[in-house]
Amino acid sequence: MRRRELIALLGGGVVGRQLAVCAQHGGVPVVGFLHYASPNKLTHLADAFRRGLQETGYIAGQNVVIEYRWAEGQYDRLPALAADLVHRQVSVIAAGGSVAAQAAKNATTTIPVVFTSGADPVATGLVASLSRPGGNVSGMSLLAAEMATKRLELIRDLLPRARAIAMITNPAYPGSHSEMAEVEAAGRSVGMQTHRVAASSPRDLDSAFTTISQLSADAFTVGADGFFITRREQFAALAAQYALPGIYPFPDFPESGGLLSYGLDLVDAYRQAGIYTARILKGAKPADLPVIQPTKFQLVINLKTVKALGLTVPPSILARADEVIE
């Protein structure tokens, strides 16, 4: 450790714990990476996190160690995985997803936590405020739910005759209620009826599409829950089976065969989380790091899916697209 970094850690009051961890790994700090998914599903996000660390001077395997804990899509495993990282006295916990972030926050009040959260981090109690988080937690707000109005406007532009839309939410996701409220408000603003359909398991998703079909919804939209990202291929298959247009919160969905997405660049959010983690390793305190809110949003369209559904994308939407998948 450099002398300046040691002084910063002393000022943060956590030097004893961090020096103990560093001693176990030859003086190299250890970062715990806690995630709701499985490594084979979202490796690109872990890669982005490492890039953020590297941009700030930390290279995994050289001057920082990363211990990965994947919940394999089972939210109930996250508390135990978080507790294990706390027991190992890691220097920082990087928590991917709202549920993982809450598990890490519940597990420790001293180890810094850097999150990426689609749910409102203030409403769910992760931080006191966006500008002054307080405590040991800060990170990236994905602002996914707040994009509901834009997504419904895109559906209206794509399907001018659409009058009803289904919103698929996961009751286990902390932001599901506020997310649905946002969609309902957006529906009223664009003159569209909204239906809530719950799903928290792969089998639930099959049932959800049966329900949407019975509701005669013209299209569906998907919540920002991490579980849904891990099931993006299933979403694409079911949407094709029922010939239902869907709009999603992240580019991962159209890249896997979904129709279109509007939201932030999730890969960049994880890169930013890596940068924040590096800043904390260098002595910054989470309480002093404002929660980052994205300013750039992406519209991604899968033209193959457009054609399969027999749709025509208006030139106005194509002109706004950041990426068109052929």
Side-chain angles (χ1 to χ4, degrees):
M1 268 189 184
R2 296 176 184 174
R3 184 172 178 272
R4 282 185 301 176
E5 295 172 57
L6 180 58
I7 292 172
L9 287 172
L10 281 166
V14 294
V15 66
R17 171 179 54 78
Q18 292 198 346
L19 285 179
V21 176
C22 291
Q24 295 173 15
H25 294 272
V28 176
V30 182
V31 171
F33 186 87
L34 179 67
H35 208 280
Y36 59 81
S38 56
N40 63 327
K41 286 285 186 180
L42 296 178
T43 52
H44 61 298
L45 299 183
D47 292 342
F49 176 76
R50 287 193 297 271
R51 282 199 300 275
L53 281 171
Q54 186 169 340
E55 288 176 20
T56 325
Y58 287 94
I59 300 174
Q62 294 186 21
N63 60 351
V64 68
V65 172
I66 303 176
E67 291 205 6
Y68 296 94
R69 297 293 183 274
W70 300 91
E72 306 288 344
Q74 300 177 48
Y75 283 168
D76 57 356
R77 294 183 58 191
L78 287 166
L81 294 174
D84 179 56
L85 290 173
V86 172
H87 176 72
R88 292 175 182 271
Q89 297 184 318
V90 297
S91 303
V92 184
I93 297 176
S98 307
V99 183
Q102 195 63 58
K105 178 181 171 66
N106 292 342
T108 179
T109 58
T110 56
I111 297 175
V113 176
V114 176
F115 64 78
T116 55
S117 175
D120 184 335
V122 177
T124 55
L126 284 177
V127 296
S129 73
L130 297 179
S131 59
R132 299 189 63 83
N136 63 316
V137 180
S138 188
M140 321 295 125
S141 172
L142 306 183
L143 281 177
E146 287 82 347
M147 296 296 100
T149 300
K150 290 290 186 182
R151 294 188 188 114
L152 264 64
E153 288 174 350
L154 282 167
I155 288 178
R156 184 189 58 189
D157 293 343
L158 185 64
L159 304 168
R161 297 182 180 178
R163 294 294 177 266
I165 183 170
M167 170 70 171
I168 304 176
T169 68
N170 181 1
Y173 173 61
S176 63
H177 293 296
S178 60
E179 202 170 48
M180 189 65 213
E182 183 76 20
V183 170
E184 288 171 343
R188 289 191 293 269
S189 70
V190 300
M192 206 176 285
Q193 185 180 7
T194 55
H195 301 282
R196 178 175 186 166
V197 181
S200 55
S201 71
R203 182 176 297 179
D204 287 346
L205 287 180
D206 293 332
S207 301
F209 275 82
T210 301
T211 300
I212 293 170
S213 177
Q214 293 170 346
L215 289 169
S216 299
D218 299 292
F220 69 92
T221 187
V222 174
D225 175 47
F227 163 69
F228 291 157
I229 303 175
T230 68
R231 306 304 304 180
R232 54 194 184 274
E233 292 88 357
Q234 184 179 1
F235 270 104
L238 287 167
Q241 177 184 338
Y242 286 87
L244 278 169
I247 185 165
Y248 305 91
F250 303 117
D252 304 70
F253 290 93
E255 289 169 2
S256 299
L259 178 61
L260 62 89
S261 68
Y262 182 78
L264 85 163
D265 184 342
L266 198 57
V267 169
D268 188 63
Y270 274 78
R271 183 186 68 84
Q272 294 282 357
I275 292 172
Y276 254 28
T277 299
R279 289 181 63 181
I280 290 171
L281 290 175
K282 292 182 177 182
K285 299 177 184 178
D288 300 329
L289 294 175
V291 175
I292 294 178
Q293 301 179 78
T295 57
K296 181 182 178 183
F297 301 93
Q298 293 181 313
L299 172 59
V300 179
I301 303 172
N302 187 317
L303 283 186
K304 182 177 180 181
T305 304
V306 169
K307 294 175 183 176
L309 291 171
L311 301 174
T312 301
V313 179
S316 59
I317 294 181
L318 283 174
R320 294 159 53 193
D322 298 279
E323 182 181 355
V324 176
I325 299 171
E326 301 286 350

